[in-house]
Amino acid sequence: MPIERRTLLKGLAAAPAALAAPPLLRHAMAQSETLDVAAVYSLSGTFANVGTLLNNGSQWAMEHYGSVLGRKINYILLDDRGDAGEAVRKVQEAMSQRGIKHIIGCTNSAIALAVQKEVNARGGIYVQMAGADESTGKDCNKANFRWPVASYSAVNATMRPLIEKFPNAKKWYTITGQYVFGDSLLTNVKDVLKEKGLQHVGNSYHSLSDREYSGYIATALASSPDVLAICNFGNQTLDVIRQAISYGMKRNTKILAIWSTGLDQFQALGPENCEGVYFGCNFWHGVDTPGGREVAAVVKAKTGDVPNYLQACGYAVAQVLVEGIKKAGTTEIAPLIKAMEGMTYEGPTGLEKIRPEDHQVIKDYYLMLGKAKSAMKDKNDFAEVIAATKAFLPPDKTGCKMA
Amino acid sequence: MQLFLFQVLNGLGIGMIYFLLSVGLTLIFGLMRFVNFAHGAFYLVAAYLAFAIVGLTGSMVLALVIAPLAVAILAVATERLLLRHTYRMPHEAQILITFAIALLIQEVVIMQFGPLGQNVPVPQALSGVVFLGPFVYPAYRLAVVAVAAVVAVVLWIVVEKTKLGAVLRAGSESAEMVALLGINVDRVFMATFALGGALAGLAGVLAAPLRGVEPFMSAEALGIAFVVVVVGGLGTLSGALVGGLLIGLVQSIMSTLWPQGAHLMIYAAMALVILARPTGLLGRT
């Protein structure tokens, strides 16, 4: 039978598709067997020490779960090098080229705010640990979930118990990191001071790259405050505390680090610098809960030690996503988001609940007081919990309008 | 007014610490015309050695002796094995290779000590504060300022008033001429590198109780050291001193006048100096 020209052309046109079919089929089959989860962390840059441990926590959690709904979890790290622009570029690439829809993690608020917009626009889901109010406030969206408390909660859960404890501490001074998170803390501090009729005697802003704070501390000392509230995070919190103590500030002033990462920062400060200083913490290994015990077992298997906040936080965002998928019974994004709204689960701090209105995890935030070296029961017993509070803005006050 | 006076005093203190940070860098550049980006890494190694030694023995004095010496040996080893092959190469090659060494050292520190910061306690005898009239100043900082002042005087005497200093200065002008006079220039360069390393080490040990130790501390130290030597004039000891003091003063005074811009003003001051005197305040043309 003679081959018609039209038939020959059709055959030639179909050939590339036929040749490409086996790998495409393999890719499709592999996709159904594994679930790709991308984690956005800074493994270099200013906050690389924070990003490294957050990444450890998330990775260990995913290894601990192994699979979900019969699909092996494939953990993919996206190193944003501490740059929000780089984070967005990597997320865009992962979502458009690799088809990844499930994203977790961030190392700072600016990165989370940028990534949460991107993930929402591309139809994914994002569970993260930013501190800035905006994340589940005016910048909230359907795709975005946040595990740690917002800066509003951190400020209210630390300042209010402290004000009750020291009603005569009327004059407050703040040292603030001039970035999204620092400003967010400062705004909330000012609100509480105004409500309580206390005096804000001054604020010193510092930049993201500052390491020398003695000038700011000298300015603070000149206004003789009763309380120095530190509104920043990471190594900058440590440097401010260390330098404030070296200038003798602890003698007449209470020092409150509103946002601290707990154990790892206590180790970096040493008991001599922790003693008598107040810290706000999202997690403390000494609080005994079923979820906390599970995190402790996973971390102990890896490090032989107790978990710190960063590891627990990395673990928690991974846990929220996997527990959500389990509850939804699918990895499809729309039903997954719906299932996660209102979900309760045994988290690292106890029974935790995701608020449907803004996708904020409702959990305790601790006010801790550093112990003297002689009072420490073991090498990690740096501080005691003096208040555990769930202090959250009512949903209608967060500014969140879920699209 | 009293606050500004205190900020001036505090700025001078910061300046002396910055001088200590940068003097090793400027010495190596001044005498060898070599841009050492591993300077911050040497500082980092010494800080961690101090952490280890103080942790094991509780003695800061021991750390002050051992760590700079160990860093001097490390500096000599890198100079002999790697850097001497780059002396005739352009500065870009030197920057790349020393930058690579810095990254390598940083990763080794992370592998050994982990990515998180650690504490080096201030020695008990210096843990209090000193009252300078109406002002309070940390005793340990005062001790660091005193050490920096001693280093400045000793280095000035060695470089300007001794035969060794004359050889070093001549070597920086014309290594070939000094070699023709029968002096082993290779050895002079090695000694200079060891001294630069030891000074970075001294700064690292003294900074450890002030800042704690963490694997990424070298970048901050290197940044400040470069600003100081560029402002003061690359390669001059007096330039490092003047540059350090100027930067310290700018940072401290601006902490009161314009806190959010205090760090920015360090770089603005550097830009101004470069525009007005491209070789730095005391740099040679």
Side-chain angles (χ1 to χ4, degrees), chain A residues 130-378:
Chain A
D133 287 340
E134 294 88 332
S135 177
T136 51
K138 68 178 178 60
D139 289 333
C140 75
N141 63 48
K142 286 295 271 185
N144 178 60
F145 292 80
R146 186 236 304 267
W147 182 75
V149 304
S151 50
Y152 169 88
S153 309
V155 167
N156 282 273
T158 52
M159 277 182 75
R160 289 179 191 277
L162 204 66
I163 291 167
E164 268 179 41
K165 198 171 159 70
F166 300 106
N168 292 327
K170 304 280 186 202
K171 296 196 308 186
W172 289 59
Y173 194 93
T174 46
I175 292 182
T176 306
Q178 197 170 35
Y179 34 76
V180 175
F181 180 60
D183 256 331
S184 196
L185 288 174
L186 179 63
T187 306
N188 286 298
V189 168
K190 283 180 178 172
D191 287 348
V192 174
L193 292 178
K194 195 173 168 192
E195 182 201 314
K196 294 281 181 186
L198 300 171
Q199 201 183 346
H200 188 208
V201 290
N203 172 59
S204 293
Y205 271 121
H206 65 76
S207 75
L208 189 62
S209 51
D210 258 327
R211 296 302 303 271
E212 176 60 51
Y213 301 93
S214 56
Y216 309 125
I217 287 160
T219 313
L221 277 167
S223 55
S224 312
D226 299 312
V227 182
L228 170 70
I230 301 167
C231 302
N232 59 15
F233 85 111
N235 283 335
Q236 297 193 311
T237 307
L238 301 182
D239 285 333
V240 174
I241 293 174
R242 206 178 264 123
Q243 290 176 38
I245 292 172
S246 78
Y247 275 74
M249 206 159 185
K250 211 159 61 174
R251 288 175 307 143
N252 302 317
T253 307
K254 309 278 174 238
I255 299 174
L256 167 64
I258 291 171
W259 187 276
S260 112
T261 54
L263 183 60
D264 58 290
Q265 290 199 329
F266 300 160
Q267 286 166 339
L269 284 169
E272 56 278 3
N273 286 321
C274 285
E275 184 185 352
V277 174
Y278 292 86
F279 298 92
C281 292
N282 262 296
F283 170 81
W284 182 243
H285 65 274
V287 178
D288 188 29
T289 65
R293 283 197 289 276
E294 200 168 316
V295 182
V298 169
V299 172
K300 184 154 187 148
K302 290 287 183 185
T303 66
D305 211 339
V306 298
N308 59 35
Y309 162 68
L310 297 170
Q311 291 159 338
C313 189
Y315 182 99
V317 295
Q319 183 190 16
V320 168
L321 179 66
V322 177
E323 293 297 334
I325 292 172
K326 279 190 199 167
K327 186 183 172 207
T330 175
T331 58
E332 289 297 317
I333 300 303
L336 173 56
I337 290 172
K338 198 164 174 43
M340 284 169 67
E341 290 175 341
M343 178 175 86
T344 53
Y345 62 96
E346 280 293 349
T349 63
L351 201 62
E352 299 173 357
K353 182 180 180 182
I354 299 175
R355 193 158 70 173
E357 294 91 340
D358 58 356
H359 294 185
Q360 168 67 52
V361 171
I362 305 297
K363 59 178 279 296
D364 276 334
Y365 192 77
Y366 308 115
L367 174 64
M368 306 193 68
L369 174 61
K371 288 181 178 178
K373 194 175 182 179
S374 56
M376 288 170 64
K377 292 190 192 88
D378 59 59

Side-chain angles (χ1 to χ4, degrees), chain A residues 53 210 212 215 242 247 268 272, chain B residues 7 10 115-116 119 211 263:
Chain A
L53 289 187
D210 258 327
E212 176 60 51
R242 206 178 264 123
Y247 275 74
E272 56 278 3
Chain B
Q7 293 291 26
N10 191 47
L116 290 176
N119 183 48
R211 302 281 165 89
H263 202 69

